[in-house]
Amino acid sequence: MTKWTPRHEAPEPLEGPVVATITGGTILWFVLFLAQLPFYGWFQDHGYLWWLWTCLAGAGLGLIGIWYVRKRDAAIKRHAAADDAGRQPDRQDR
């Protein structure tokens, strides 16, 4: 067996509206949780209660994701502004 080595360089990561994407996904998980809430008894009787809690966990993790991507987006913008000003960003710019 030979060691796998890439034959070409990896492409640049795609940048897009990350904050909007994560926010939309979080809202979707929460809406799914709310839509399933009236059927709590049915889910419990049929052993599918985990569906409800999966949606709630997705919404909760999405809130953490929103916090993370907003901080990341702000750091990228600070770094770009520092590059435009011709200086390196300090540790205190974070």
Side-chain angles (χ1 to χ4, degrees), residues 2-82:
T2 61
K3 182 178 177 183
W4 181 82
T5 56
R7 295 187 179 138
H8 54 83
E9 289 187 33
E12 290 293 318
L14 297 174
E15 289 293 332
V18 179
V19 176
T21 302
I22 301 300
T23 302
T26 302
I27 291 170
L28 180 64
W29 279 114
F30 190 67
V31 167
L32 288 171
F33 169 74
L34 292 177
Q36 292 178 9
L37 202 54
F39 305 103
Y40 184 90
W42 185 89
F43 285 121
Q44 189 173 24
D45 293 343
H46 291 87
Y48 292 119
L49 196 55
W50 63 272
W51 286 8
L52 187 73
W53 302 125
T54 300
C55 292
L56 187 59
L61 290 172
L63 291 175
I64 295 169
I66 291 169
W67 171 79
Y68 179 82
V69 296
R70 288 185 70 203
K71 300 229 3 139
R72 177 184 175 270
D73 195 42
I76 290 171
K77 287 178 182 175
R78 272 196 312 272
H79 184 74

